[in-house]
């Protein structure tokens, strides 16, 4: 899917501008890391799995301005907010959980060409079109989809679809059709998530940043599912991962070691 560079500019806010009712922001320090699909990839690796990553090369940048005292984001500026579409020969070669003839320079942390699962992390910046997602879902197994696109029948062959409550309500008419209830995992923020009529609550923790939490969730979901074969246990594991990561500043990851200490 599409990836970006996440930049966090931290600063102090001590007064309101006399020119307009806006805060005066004084930067103190800056941090950056990989975001969107690359953050999913980083979370997958942090959870002890290996991954091949197909993503855009041109640079999308998300700059977040964060108040030091409250940890609240006061402004986000997106730069170069679009990328080129994935090569069609790559899409056509991705079937039966294998990628035929990987391209030169293909990012990989393993040499095998068989995948236990495929994660589609689609932020709707241009890297994947609906027909690309449809092809991948139709021709592969264990496909987990997290997309910002308005859903349609093109998504029906996905094995699991992570969607937040706002996105679910926007697509309610389609998703109420029979056949989607066992695919949809609806995240509810601090209330947890919902799957197939069952509510999964989460413990209350001090939240420092929710940026990238959805990326952590889907990485944990895949790890939990591959370990247990149960989507119910996978959801519980994914929520443990997310609960841990939201207690950190910025876009971050969580490791198996950290989860063990939290038990």
């Amino acid at each position: 899917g599409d990836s970006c560079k996440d930049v966090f500019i931290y600063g102090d806010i001590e007064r309101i501008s006399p020119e307009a009712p806006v805060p005066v922001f004084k930067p103190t320090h800056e941090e950056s890391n990989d975001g969107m699909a690359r953050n999913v990839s980083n979370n997958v690796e942090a959870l002890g799995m290996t991954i091949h990553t197909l993503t855009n090369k041109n640079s999308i940048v998300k700059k977040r301005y964060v108040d030091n005292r409250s940890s609240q984001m006061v402004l986000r500026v997106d730069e170069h907010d679009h990328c080129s579409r994935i090569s069609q020969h790559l899409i056509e070669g991705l079937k039966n959980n294998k990628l035929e003839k990987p391209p030169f320079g293909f990012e990989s942390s393993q040499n095998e060409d068989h995948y236990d699962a495929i994660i589609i992390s689609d932020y709707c910046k241009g890297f994947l079109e609906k027909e690309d997602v449809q092809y991948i879902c139709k021709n592969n197994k264990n496909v987990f989809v997290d997309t910002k696109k308005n859903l349609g029948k093109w998504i029906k062959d996905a094995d699991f679809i992570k969607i937040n409550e706002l996105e679910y309500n926007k697509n309610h008419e389609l998703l109420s059709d029979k056949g989607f209830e066992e695919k949809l995992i609806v995240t509810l923020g601090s209330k947890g998530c919902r799957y197939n009529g069952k509510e999964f609550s989460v413990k209350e923790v001090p939240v420092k940043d929710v940026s990238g939490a959805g990326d952590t969730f889907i990485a944990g979901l895949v790890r939990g599912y591959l370990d247990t074969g149960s989507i119910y246990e996978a959801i519980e594991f994914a929520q443990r991962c997310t609960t841990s990561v939201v207690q950190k500043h910025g876009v971050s990851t969580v490791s198996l070691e950290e989860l063990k200490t939290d038990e």
Side-chain angles (χ1 to χ4, degrees):
D2 343 59
S3 62
C4 73
K5 180 66 67 176
D6 279 315
V7 179
F8 289 82
I9 302 172
Y10 295 91
D12 297 324
I13 296 176
E14 298 175 347
R15 63 191 180 95
I16 300 298
S17 171
E19 303 161 313
V22 296
V24 176
F25 186 89
K26 295 182 178 180
T28 58
H29 63 287
E30 181 177 312
E31 298 176 6
S32 65
N33 52 260
D34 296 328
M36 300 197 310
R38 286 189 185 276
N39 185 47
V40 174
S41 179
N42 290 341
N43 274 275
V44 166
E45 291 187 326
L47 290 172
M49 296 180 284
T50 50
I51 186 167
H52 289 167
T53 304
L54 287 173
T55 189
N56 51 293
K57 293 181 179 179
N58 56 309
S59 181
I60 297 172
V61 180
K62 293 182 181 179
K63 289 184 178 179
R64 297 174 174 89
Y65 292 80
V66 183
D67 175 38
N68 282 325
R69 182 171 54 85
S70 64
S71 295
Q72 291 294 312
M73 180 172 61
V74 295
L75 177 68
R76 195 179 101 177
V77 179
D78 291 359
E79 301 175 356
H80 312 293
D81 199 34
H82 190 269
C83 63
S84 300
R85 186 177 179 182
I86 186 174
S87 166
Q88 288 308 289
H89 85 272
L90 289 180
I91 288 292
E92 293 167 2
L94 187 56
K95 50 189 174 183
N96 301 319
N97 290 70
K98 291 185 178 182
L99 181 63
E100 300 175 359
K101 298 181 179 180
F104 177 76
F106 185 49
E107 297 178 31
S108 170
S109 50
Q110 64 175 1
N111 293 321
E112 300 175 4
D113 63 350
H114 180 269
Y115 313 118
D116 296 311
I118 295 173
I119 302 173
I120 296 177
S121 180
D122 173 33
Y123 278 79
C124 208
K125 304 297 184 183
F127 190 69
L128 292 169
E129 297 294 340
K130 292 177 181 178
E131 53 264 39
D132 301 327
V133 177
Q134 182 178 30
Y135 181 90
I136 294 170
C137 293
K138 185 176 180 180
N139 290 281
N140 296 275
K141 297 179 179 179
N142 288 345
V143 181
F144 294 74
V145 179
D146 184 3
T147 179
K148 301 299 182 186
K149 290 180 173 60
N150 288 328
L151 302 183
K153 292 184 178 180
W154 54 271
I155 200 73
K156 67 180 180 64
D157 290 319
D159 293 282
F160 297 104
I161 305 166
K162 184 190 86 65
I163 190 170
N164 64 39
E165 190 170 28
L166 176 62
E167 292 164 342
Y168 175 80
N169 290 334
K170 286 168 59 178
N171 293 274
H172 178 71
E173 185 174 349
L174 167 73
L175 299 179
S176 61
D177 289 350
K178 187 176 181 181
F180 274 102
E181 63 271 13
E182 293 186 357
K183 298 177 182 289
L184 284 179
I185 300 161
V186 184
T187 56
L188 308 172
S190 61
K191 297 178 182 178
C193 70
R194 181 174 64 247
Y195 172 71
N196 204 16
K198 178 178 172 61
E199 301 279 344
F200 295 79
S201 61
V202 292
K203 66 178 182 179
E204 188 174 336
V205 296
V207 176
K208 294 182 178 177
D209 203 322
V210 298
S211 301
D215 299 334
T216 301
F217 182 93
I218 199 164
L221 187 72
V222 172
R223 173 78 206 218
Y225 186 74
L226 294 180
D227 282 348
T228 67
S230 165
I231 193 61
Y232 293 96
E233 291 186 45
I235 290 171
E236 291 177 350
F237 180 75
Q239 289 188 312
R240 283 180 57 206
C241 295
T242 308
T243 298
S244 178
V245 85
V246 297
Q247 298 179 68
K248 302 179 180 182
H249 285 293
V251 174
S252 189
T253 63
V254 61
S255 68
L256 293 176
E257 290 72 21
E258 290 176 83
L259 294 173
K260 289 178 182 177
T261 60
D262 289 340
E263 290 179 349

